[in-house]
Every structure is written in structure tokens, then in C-alpha cells.
């Protein structure tokens, strides 16, 4: 079975579901409509009883470049309306991450290329992650005057606050091998084909367990050691939305669109 929306493709092959981020011309950058389609895909795969595990990957050379900064930079002449929209956009992304964390079936990220900003958040919201050797994971938001308010709590939950601080504050991309050492990804494969095959193998290994037991195991992790992180996502959403209203964010986005370095005051 194959179901395709504008930018998200869903495939079902026996017990495995695959969600493909299908916007390669924009390096699979997340638009608002794409976030909605991802949430819809998760709902559909939740309802599909034969699916026992889900693989998330990207089309083209990138896994996900983060939020679509061209869409994010769009503003009107009504500052209050813009602020309300920015708050809605952050909340929509927060809801996507929460739905992934609470998804009752194993989510396996097959990181076929760069996973940046909210794209890194997609990896961190999955249960298991594999990456190709050429992949990088990074949180460059500060370089655009933004704050990784949603991805930061996910990163700290997976690898600890100290390692998360380095990635958040420097904005430096983390190569796949280093990401594996830190615990962001669990395995590194030589190329995309090997990564896809291994992610499918892991998905099928998860499918060998009782659906109830696997679901309860995920729920145990999220509702015990993950409970503080779930609350922190709310605070992170507020910080991310507030940062978007600053002059620094406007300068960072303007510089990105103009292809120049930002000039911070």
C-alpha cells in the first residue's frame, strides 16, 4: 500500500510502515502543511493494525533540514497576528513530537543525510536511529537568532545536558560517528541502501514482540524517566516562540534569505 500527500509518502509492506519525507527540492524542510501531513501519517499508521513498526526517512540527499526558513520568515503588517501565528507554528511542531513520543509502535529513524534543527528533533523523537556515514546532526538555530526550544529538551533527554549544551551553543554539525558515540543515533551504516536494510531489519525485530508489551515498554519510558522532558517541551515552545519575535531572529532570517552573514547588535 502506498499513500502520498504533497510532501509525505506512506508505504505499508507487511508489518512495516515507512514514512518518507518527500520534499527533496527543499532538503525536506518542514512546512506547516508537511507537519500536518506527518501527524496525519502517524494517525493512519496507528490505525493500521498489521503495522508493527514504522521507519522514518527522507527523499534525496537530506533527511530533514529543519523548519522551512522561507516560510518562517514570512511576516505581515500586523505584528500581533504574526506573533499569534508563530506561537501556533511552534505548538504544531510540539504536538508532532509529542505524538511521536507517545506513538504506541516503535519508530525507527533512517537518517539518510543531514538532520538539522527540527529535523534533528524528528530523529530524537524516534525510538531507534540509524545514520549513513555522511550524515550530520546539528542544532544551528542560534546562528539564525532562534532558539532550539523544542529540540533542546529532546536532546538532553537522549544524551544529557552537558553534551546537549555543546551542540546547542556552538551550532556545529555533529558527524554520524560522533552522533553514535553521544547516543543520538545507535548505528552507522556505510551507505543509504545498507541503512535502509538495517532499519527494516530492526523494525522486523521489534515486530517479533507482543504489540501490547512493546507499546507498554514505550509508555513506561516516556511516563517515567521521560516525564520531565514532556513538561519541558511546553517551556521550550514558549522560549522558541518568544525568540522568534526578537530583532535578532529577524536579522538572522533576513541574512539567510539574502545569503549573507548576520550582523548581530
Amino acid at each position: 500500500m502506498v499513500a502520498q500527500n504533497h510532501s509525505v509518502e506512506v508505504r505499508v509492506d507487511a508489518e512495516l510502515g515507512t514514512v518518507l519525507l518527500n520534499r527533496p527540492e527543499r532538503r525536506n524542510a518542514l512546512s506547516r502543511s508537511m507537519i500536518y501531513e506527518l501527524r496525519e501519517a502517524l494517525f493512519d499508521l496507528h490505525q493500521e493494525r498489521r503495522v508493527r513498526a514504522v521507519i522514518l526517512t527522507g527523499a534525496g540527499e537530506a533527511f530533514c533540514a529543519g523548519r522551512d526558513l522561507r516560510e518562517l520568515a514570512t511576516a505581515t503588517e500586523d505584528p500581533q497576528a504574526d506573533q499569534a501565528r508563530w506561537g501556533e507554528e511552534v505548538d504544531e511542531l510540539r504536538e508532532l513530537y509529542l505524538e511521536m513520543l507517545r506513538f504506541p509502535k516503535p519508530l525507527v529513524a533512517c537518517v539518510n543525510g543531514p538532520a538539522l534543527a527540527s529535523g534533528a528533533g524528528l530523529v530524537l523523537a524516534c525510538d531507534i536511529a540509524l545514520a549513513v556515514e555522511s550524515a550530520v546532526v546539528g542544532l544551528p538555530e542560534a546562528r539564525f537568532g532562534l532558539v532550539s526550544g523544542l529540540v533542546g529538551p529532546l536532546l538532553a533527554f537522549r544524551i544529557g545536558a552537558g553534551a546537549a549544551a555543546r551542540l546547542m551553543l556552538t551550532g556545529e554539525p555533529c558527524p554520524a560517528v560522533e552522533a553514535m558515540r553521544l547516543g543520538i543515533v545507535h548505528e552507522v551504516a556505510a551507505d543509504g541502501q545498507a541503512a535502509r536494510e538495517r532499519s527494516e531489519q530492526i523494525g522486523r525485530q521489534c515486530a517479533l514482540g507482543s504489540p501490547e508489551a512493546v507499546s507498554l515498554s514505550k509508555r513506561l519510558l516516556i511516563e517515567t524517566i521521560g516525564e520531565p522532558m514532556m513538561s519541558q517541551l511546553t517551556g521550550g515552545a514558549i522560549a522558541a516562540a518568544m525568540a522568534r519575535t526578537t530583532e535578532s531572529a529577524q536579522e538572522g532570517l533576513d541574512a539567510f534569505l539574502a545569503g549573507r552573514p548576520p550582523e548581530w547588535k
Side-chain angles (χ1 to χ4, degrees):
M1 182 190 83
V2 179
Q4 185 170 0
N5 290 322
H6 176 67
S7 53
V8 173
E9 183 177 301
V10 178
R11 296 177 178 268
V12 174
D13 180 14
E15 71 270 34
L16 289 183
T18 299
V19 177
L20 179 71
L21 307 177
N22 194 24
R23 203 182 176 209
E25 74 283 358
R26 296 288 299 140
R27 296 173 64 80
N28 299 319
L30 294 172
S31 63
R32 291 188 76 178
S33 63
M34 193 171 180
I35 291 170
Y36 174 80
E37 290 173 20
L38 276 170
R39 295 176 65 184
E40 189 176 55
L42 289 175
F43 177 82
D44 290 343
L45 290 170
H46 184 182
Q47 301 301 312
E48 185 67 53
R49 292 180 61 85
R50 61 178 167 150
V51 170
R52 303 282 297 281
V54 175
I55 297 164
L56 176 64
T57 192
E61 298 181 352
F63 176 78
C64 177
R67 278 288 279 117
D68 188 336
L69 293 186
R70 294 184 185 279
E71 181 182 79
L72 203 64
T74 303
T76 70
E77 296 181 356
D78 186 343
Q80 289 187 335
D82 287 338
Q83 290 181 23
R85 177 173 59 85
W86 296 330
E88 291 172 359
E89 291 176 352
V90 170
D91 196 55
E92 289 164 358
L93 185 58
R94 181 181 68 91
E95 287 299 318
L96 171 61
Y97 290 151
L98 288 173
E99 288 168 13
M100 292 176 68
L101 292 165
R102 292 169 176 156
F103 192 68
K105 304 173 185 182
L107 289 172
V108 182
C110 180
V111 186
N112 58 297
L116 305 176
S118 53
L122 293 178
V123 177
L124 294 162
C126 287
D127 305 295
I128 302 170
L130 298 87
V132 298
E133 287 181 345
S134 60
V136 296
V137 180
L139 277 70
E141 286 93 332
R143 298 184 178 188
F144 300 99
L146 304 171
V147 173
S148 51
L150 291 175
V151 185
L154 287 168
L155 186 63
F157 171 60
R158 298 298 189 193
I159 68 173
R166 179 170 69 88
L167 293 177
M168 292 175 66
L169 299 179
T170 66
E172 284 292 319
C174 182
V177 172
E178 175 68 3
M180 182 174 68
R181 186 188 71 80
L182 291 173
I184 298 172
V185 301
H186 301 95
E187 297 183 23
V188 174
D191 56 36
Q193 182 62 33
R196 284 191 295 273
E197 291 175 354
R198 179 59 179 149
S199 63
E200 290 174 0
Q201 183 182 31
I202 289 177
R204 291 192 170 93
Q205 288 173 343
C206 292
L208 294 174
S210 153
E212 292 82 6
V214 170
S215 179
L216 285 171
S217 296
K218 284 197 61 171
R219 183 175 175 181
L220 172 68
L221 290 171
I222 292 303
E223 293 185 357
T224 54
I225 61 174
E227 193 276 333
M229 178 270 296
M230 303 286 272
S231 300
Q232 290 159 10
L233 285 174
T234 300
I238 295 171
M242 289 181 61
R244 180 62 186 86
T245 68
T246 65
E247 292 183 5
S248 293
Q250 192 60 55
E251 167 60 17
L253 293 171
D254 287 346
F256 168 78
L257 294 176
R260 61 171 175 81
E263 299 177 1
W264 307 123
K265 293 183 180 180

